[in-house]
């Protein structure tokens, strides 16, 4: 039973904590999202502090004034009472004389106002501490003032000084705060001490009323300032919110959206300027869309129209190329050049047609379960002769087991062909490594070279059409300059990522990440984008010997419909029984 009770208490505590945490999160989100709430809250807090400080100063000033007035009044009464007491006791020369006590009693009654009921609440007392036991203390009214007259005060008055203090006590009329004044009265029978006990009830009530009035006025002022801040910020925030909503609709493609213009003030000018900007943007976007449509149509039409004469020229060139052995050496060489340039021209037309299909949105994905291991080997075998001619060792790091993913094998092979060919082209005779990895949701392929690398900022341009890192370099593959652009579109069509990393003198690495099941959304990648050997500069031999690596510099570019994936992961993550083969 006790254990069940403790468990129930813990559950209740967790529920309460969870509710408070949820409330705190909601308040934090509201604070971050609402400019009006922030302005009103800051105004209320600042005005509350200001009004509170002002109220404290005013109340303290009023209290000091009332207390000063009470002190002045009591001091005047004390001086007058001391003179009166001295005159009344002037006829006595001995403390034992008859009638001395009656005179003291009549004196305190007179000084107290002669009203035994003590409507004013003032208490007057006469004592003779130096003649204790001979002269009896007298008070008017007859109250016990010992709770208010402290020994320190009585000792100071007994020594011949005028003293005062504020004390709270009950002398028989309820617990009350008193302003106590004491003064010595020299007489022929010895020194007598005169005390005035003035209640401060009226002053406290007046000060409390003043504080309440100031606080009420301050609270009303704070609420008024908060309401005023809410109204003012609403006047400013409402057009801004309308502009934000209109901008969101414009960004969603609703180019006919406009803001409502009211009045002629600055906010109206803002709305009119925003509408003018939207109109200009709409006009420019429509113009660019028309130009883009015409460009795509021109590219597509030209590519298709060139197919017919190219086919005829190809047939004639093939015939000439076949019979080149019987030609003059110069003519035979021309036939070979004609054949090579026709191959390049045909490849360019193919790439242009593919780009036009992507631009027109007609590209289709023919996904099917595919083992990517043979795809990687097929690409490597196809580029082996080029790598051997340039002197670039081609290394594979792929799992032994099949790596199955729902992809379009033709497009994936084209991406890898472009990436590996680009790495071999810029490998500077150093090894190029192709790695394949997988996890539960994605597959990834990285292509790493140790060539010239990418300068800072160039990783943002590498996927642009017809862009080259070094236009002065002589190409070995005769590419069209559209390979990486087409690869990027192929990766996007799969819902995947194509990313690049590079640093001067440290080479580059490209990473292709594809979902294992078509249509899934990527969140992570099995392989790291920044290579593990990017800590030290590459100083190894050009023939593929031992490597020395050092600190990376340069940037990372993530291109695709999703995030860039996780941070660096252990090299070769996702491999099962991986092996390496030099091709």
């Amino acid at each position: 039973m006790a254990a069940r009770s403790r468990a129930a208490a813990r559950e209740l505590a967790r529920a309460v904590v969870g509710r408070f945490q949820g409330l705190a999160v909601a308040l934090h989100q509201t604070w971050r999202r609402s400019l009006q709430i922030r302005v009103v809250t800051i105004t209320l807090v600042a005005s509350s502090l200001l009004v509170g400080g002002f109220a404290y100063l005013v109340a303290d000033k009023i209290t000091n004034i009332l207390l000063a007035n009470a002190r002045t009044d009591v001091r005047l009464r004390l001086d007058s009472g001391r003179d009166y007491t001295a005159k009344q006791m002037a006829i006595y020369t001995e403390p034992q004389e008859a009638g001395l006590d009656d005179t003291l009693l009549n004196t305190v009654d007179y000084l107290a106002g002669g009203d035994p009921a003590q409507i004013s609440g003032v208490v007057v007392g006469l004592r003779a501490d130096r003649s204790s036991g001979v002269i009896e203390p007298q008070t008017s009214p007859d109250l016990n003032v010992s709770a208010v007259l402290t020994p320190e005060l009585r000792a100071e008055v007994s020594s011949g000084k005028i003293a005062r203090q504020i004390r709270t006590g009950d002398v028989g009329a309820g617990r009350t705060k008193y302003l106590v004044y004491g003064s010595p009265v020299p007489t022929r029978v010895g020194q007598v001490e005169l005390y005035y006990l003035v209640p401060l009830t009226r002053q406290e009530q007046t000060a409390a009323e003043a504080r309440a009035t100031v606080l009420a006025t301050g609270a009303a002022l704070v609420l008024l300032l908060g309401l005023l801040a809410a109204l003012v910020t609403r006047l400013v925030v409402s057009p801004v919110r309308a502009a934000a909503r209109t901008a969101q609709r414009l960004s969603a493609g609703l180019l006919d959206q406009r803001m409502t213009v009211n009045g002629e003030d600055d906010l109206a000018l803002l709305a009119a300027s925003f509408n003018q900007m939207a109109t200009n943007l709409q006009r420019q976007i429509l113009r660019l869309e028309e130009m883009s449509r015409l460009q795509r149509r021109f590219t597509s039409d030209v590519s298709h129209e060139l197919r017919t004469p190219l086919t005829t020229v190809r047939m004639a060139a093939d015939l000439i190329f076949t019979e080149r052995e019987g030609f003059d050496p110069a003519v035979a060489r021309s036939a070979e050049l004609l054949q090579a340039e026709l191959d390049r021209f045909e490849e360019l037309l193919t790439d242009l047609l593919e780009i036009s299909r992507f631009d027109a949105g007609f590209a289709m994905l023919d996904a099917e379960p595919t083992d990517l291991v043979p795809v990687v080997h097929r690409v490597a075998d196809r580029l082996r002769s080029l790598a051997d001619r340039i002197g670039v060792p081609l290394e594979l790091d792929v799992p032994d087991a099949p790596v199955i993913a729902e992809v379009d094998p033709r497009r994936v092979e084209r991406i890898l062909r472009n990436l590996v060919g680009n790495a071999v082209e810029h490998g500077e005779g150093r090894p190029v490594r192709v790695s394949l990895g997988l996890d539960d949701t994605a597959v990834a392929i990285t292509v790493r070279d140790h060539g010239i690398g990418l300068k800072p900022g160039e990783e943002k341009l590498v996927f642009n059409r017809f862009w080259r890192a070094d236009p002065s370099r002589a190409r070995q593959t005769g590419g069209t300059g559209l390979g990486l652009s087409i690869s990027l579109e192929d990766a996007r069509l799969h819902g995947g990522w194509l990313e690049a990393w590079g640093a001067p003198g440290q080479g580059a690495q490209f990473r292709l990440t594809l979902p294992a099941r078509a249509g899934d959304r990527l969140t992570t990648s099995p392989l790291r984008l920044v290579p593990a050997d990017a800590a030290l500069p590459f100083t190894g031999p050009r023939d593929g010997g031992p490597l020395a690596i050092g600190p990376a510099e340069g940037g990372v570019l993530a291109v695709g419909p999703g995030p860039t994936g996780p941070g660096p992961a252990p090299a070769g993550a996702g491999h099962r029984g991986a092996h390496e083969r030099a091709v």
Side-chain angles (χ1 to χ4, degrees), residues 176-454:
T176 308
K177 180 181 288 187
Y178 289 96
L179 174 60
V180 182
Y181 261 86
S183 175
V185 181
T187 64
R188 297 171 64 185
V189 299
Q191 178 174 287
V192 178
E193 293 88 33
L194 174 64
Y195 295 96
Y196 273 82
L197 285 70
V198 180
L200 298 177
T201 305
R202 180 173 58 83
Q203 287 80 359
E204 286 187 326
Q205 291 177 350
T206 303
E209 292 174 357
R211 282 194 295 269
T213 302
V214 172
L215 289 176
T217 304
L221 179 61
V222 169
L223 293 178
L224 181 61
L225 289 175
L227 180 61
L228 181 62
L231 292 176
V232 172
T233 53
R234 183 179 180 83
L235 291 176
V236 177
V237 170
S238 295
V240 175
R241 290 175 177 171
R245 290 192 296 268
T246 305
Q248 289 174 351
R249 297 190 186 102
L250 289 173
S251 65
L254 304 176
L255 301 179
D256 59 341
Q257 295 295 308
R258 297 294 184 270
M259 291 181 61
T260 302
V261 180
N262 296 319
E264 299 179 356
D265 55 9
D266 295 335
L267 294 177
L269 178 61
L270 171 64
S273 301
F274 185 91
N275 290 341
Q276 183 63 37
M277 178 191 68
T279 301
N280 294 336
L281 286 176
Q282 181 182 16
R283 186 182 302 113
Q284 188 71 9
I285 289 173
L286 293 177
R287 178 172 172 269
L288 292 175
E289 287 180 348
E290 179 65 18
M291 292 178 60
S292 178
R293 186 184 65 80
L294 292 175
Q295 181 183 12
R296 291 195 301 268
R297 182 175 178 180
F298 173 79
T299 303
S300 179
D301 291 347
V302 169
S303 301
H304 281 91
E305 292 298 327
L306 287 176
R307 281 289 182 183
T308 301
L310 178 62
T311 302
T312 303
V313 174
R314 165 65 71 180
M315 292 174 61
D318 288 343
L319 179 60
I320 295 173
F321 185 77
T322 303
E323 301 295 332
R324 71 185 185 279
E325 297 296 336
F327 297 156
D328 182 85
V331 177
R333 177 57 179 164
S334 298
E336 293 175 354
L337 292 177
L338 176 61
Q339 186 76 8
E341 292 304 317
L342 281 175
D343 291 340
R344 183 178 179 185
F345 186 41
E346 190 171 10
E347 182 181 354
L348 177 59
L349 282 180
T350 303
D351 288 346
L352 286 175
L353 285 172
E354 189 69 20
I355 284 291
S356 65
R357 280 192 289 269
F358 280 120
D359 290 340
F362 294 151
M364 300 296 294
L365 185 70
D366 187 14
E368 59 184 37
T370 303
D371 184 4
L372 295 180
V373 174
V375 175
V376 174
H377 283 286
R378 196 158 53 241
V379 171
D381 292 339
R382 180 173 178 177
L383 294 172
R384 179 175 55 187
S385 60
L386 173 65
D388 292 341
R389 186 174 76 250
I390 300 177
V392 174
L394 194 58
E395 301 174 352
L396 299 184
D397 182 8
V398 297
D400 293 328
V403 178
I404 307 297
E406 294 182 8
V407 297
D408 188 333
R410 179 180 65 88
R411 297 183 183 276
V412 172
E413 185 171 344
R414 181 166 60 190
I415 296 173
L416 292 181
R417 193 165 58 247
N418 287 325
L419 295 180
V420 176
N422 187 70
V424 170
E425 176 74 22
H426 297 87
E428 297 292 318
R430 295 164 182 163
V432 170
R433 175 181 290 260
V434 182
S435 301
L436 174 63
L438 76 158
D439 59 18
D440 294 336
T441 61
V443 295
I445 303 173
T446 60
V447 179
R448 172 78 163 108
D449 68 76
H450 298 86
I452 60 175
L454 296 173

Side-chain angles (χ1 to χ4, degrees), residues 419-490:
L419 295 180
V420 176
N422 187 70
V424 170
E425 176 74 22
H426 297 87
E428 297 292 318
R430 295 164 182 163
V432 170
R433 175 181 290 260
V434 182
S435 301
L436 174 63
L438 76 158
D439 59 18
D440 294 336
T441 61
V443 295
I445 303 173
T446 60
V447 179
R448 172 78 163 108
D449 68 76
H450 298 86
I452 60 175
L454 296 173
K455 299 176 183 177
E458 289 185 345
E459 71 278 357
K460 302 177 182 178
L461 306 173
V462 70
F463 295 103
N464 291 351
R465 298 176 185 180
F466 301 108
W467 184 86
R468 294 180 64 183
D470 186 3
S472 64
R473 288 172 52 88
R475 295 185 57 88
Q476 302 291 333
T477 58
T480 64
L482 296 173
L484 290 180
S485 299
I486 295 175
S487 298
L488 174 62
E489 297 296 340
D490 283 334

Side-chain angles (χ1 to χ4, degrees), residues 100-117:
L100 178 58
D101 291 336
D102 293 337
T103 300
L104 293 176
L105 181 59
N106 293 333
T107 300
V108 296
D109 286 341
Y110 175 80
L111 295 178
D115 183 6

Side-chain angles (χ1 to χ4, degrees), residues 501-519:
W501 169 90
Q506 299 185 59
Q509 176 161 293
F510 289 79
R511 180 178 69 178
L512 172 66
T513 307
L514 302 175
R517 288 173 294 276

Side-chain angles (χ1 to χ4, degrees), residues 51-126:
V51 171
F54 176 75
Y56 173 79
L57 292 177
V58 170
D60 185 68
K61 187 67 174 178
I62 292 174
T63 302
N64 291 336
I65 291 174
L66 292 174
L67 186 58
N69 291 337
R71 288 173 178 172
T72 301
D73 180 66
V74 176
R75 183 58 186 268
L76 292 175
R77 297 179 66 174
L78 181 67
D79 294 340
S80 176
R82 183 180 58 219
D83 295 340
Y84 179 80
T85 303
K87 292 179 181 179
Q88 294 297 316
M89 298 188 63
I91 61 175
Y92 298 100
T93 59
E94 295 294 336
Q96 293 86 2
E97 291 187 35
L100 178 58
D101 291 336
D102 293 337
T103 300
L104 293 176
L105 181 59
N106 293 333
T107 300
V108 296
D109 286 341
Y110 175 80
L111 295 178
D115 183 6
Q118 279 299 296
I119 298 176
S120 64
V122 177
V123 180
V124 180
L126 280 172

